[in-house]
Amino acid sequence: MTEIDTSVPHSARIWNYWLGGKDNYPVDEAAGDAYTAVYPGIVTIARSSRAFLGRSIRYLVREAGIRQFLDVGTGLPTVDNTHEVAQGLAPESKIVYVDNDPLVLAHARALLTSTPEGVTAYEDLSLYEPEKILEAASRTLDLSRPTALILSGILGHVTDYDQARGIVRGLLAGLPSGSYLSLNEGSRGTDPAYEQAQDAYNETGAVPYFLRPVDQIAAYFEGLELVEPGIVSVPLWHPEPADDEPRPIGQHGGLGRKP
């Protein structure tokens, strides 16, 4: 097994810390605190992204009747993981998680809990190999049936935008009509303070994450039928009635159906 280095901060563990998770180390808390000292709103962004994921899955289960989920770039298990939300509403749901981070692999057992009626699986594969991901997913999911592809905050790690779009196209190409894409990513054009903080973080030598203009995030959905209200800042996408007045943040996403 690959050795996990706890002496340097790790983006998945920092994200886990911001989400209130326990799978992080003092070095990650220090890095996370240093970021929040510059830009306190990052915790809101992390938690709003997670909340959007939950709302989109609930829509997929209740409104679209989806029972199969392919979650690529899973990250560390925290709260309201894809299988917990989906199987909480439809116990027969099947979920395949994909990541290729040794840290996530070490915690994959926490993702592999499932209802007796459903299935969860974890595949240790690279985001950059859509065909291998689809082949592995087909061992658990019936890819002749509508499937939801989940890409939550992962494509910003792909330096080349055209390559990121190609990954989305490659994954969607293996899914049938009636499938969905749930995607949300850090965005430019809403919060200059966030952009400045993230650009500075990227220059530290840490694994970079690139914020992209909203039109580039929207282009990931090319050829799909967007669920209303389209591509919006994530707090504005189907907010819960109990939510306070939602305000735009530098994180955009949406849900699209493959015709």
Side-chain angles (χ1 to χ4, degrees):
M1 189 174 204
T2 307
E3 196 68 27
I4 294 169
D5 189 347
T6 62
S7 67
V8 294
H10 186 290
S11 59
R13 295 196 306 247
I14 297 169
W15 195 256
N16 177 270
Y17 173 55
W18 287 333
L19 285 173
K22 302 284 186 263
D23 294 312
N24 48 74
Y25 296 94
V27 67
D28 307 303
E29 294 183 19
D33 289 344
Y35 195 118
T36 56
V38 175
Y39 178 69
I42 190 62
V43 174
T44 298
I45 284 176
R47 295 182 180 185
S48 295
S49 171
R50 190 56 128 180
F52 165 83
L53 173 66
R55 295 196 306 277
S56 71
I57 292 169
R58 287 192 287 274
Y59 179 96
L60 287 163
V61 172
R62 289 171 175 158
E63 309 297 329
I66 296 294
R67 297 294 183 269
Q68 300 193 126
F69 297 83
L70 176 57
D71 186 334
V72 180
T74 304
L76 283 168
T78 49
V79 293
D80 294 335
N81 299 298
T82 296
H83 72 283
E84 292 170 332
V85 178
Q87 293 183 342
L89 295 171
E92 71 276 19
S93 297
K94 297 181 178 181
I95 295 88
V96 172
Y97 290 107
V98 179
D99 210 313
N100 74 327
D101 185 325
L103 180 70
V104 179
L105 179 61
H107 290 271
R109 64 188 178 279
L111 291 165
L112 295 179
T113 57
S114 176
T115 56
E117 303 94 326
V119 181
T120 67
Y122 179 88
E123 299 290 347
D124 182 26
L125 290 168
S126 168
L127 173 69
Y128 296 92
E129 299 177 303
E131 290 182 4
K132 286 188 177 179
I133 290 173
L134 291 165
E135 181 185 355
S138 70
R139 294 196 287 265
T140 300
L141 308 178
D142 177 357
L143 296 186
S144 68
R145 294 177 51 225
T147 301
L149 171 63
I150 311 289
L151 294 167
S152 183
I154 186 63
L155 295 173
H157 289 301
V158 181
T159 306
D160 184 82
Y161 173 67
D162 290 333
Q163 186 176 24
R165 283 191 68 183
I167 288 167
V168 179
R169 280 197 299 269
L171 290 167
L172 285 171
L175 304 180
S177 172
S179 294
Y180 283 81
L181 169 64
S182 169
L183 178 149
N184 76 101
E185 290 289 331
S187 59
R188 291 190 178 275
T190 302
D191 188 341
Y194 177 34
E195 295 162 29
Q196 192 173 359
Q198 187 61 39
D199 291 346
Y201 176 83
N202 288 349
E203 290 169 8
T204 65
V207 176
Y209 180 87
F210 298 98
L211 307 180
R212 294 197 160 111
V214 177
D215 63 336
Q216 290 190 358
I217 295 172
Y220 290 131
F221 292 85
E222 185 179 17
L224 303 182
E225 300 164 347
L226 290 175
V227 173
E228 290 295 329
I231 309 307
V232 295
S233 182
V234 293
L236 308 182
W237 195 91
H238 293 249
E240 301 286 356
D243 291 348
D244 293 333
E245 188 72 28
R247 296 178 182 174
I249 59 173
Q251 187 86 9
H252 278 69
L255 191 62
R257 182 183 182 275
K258 184 174 179 178

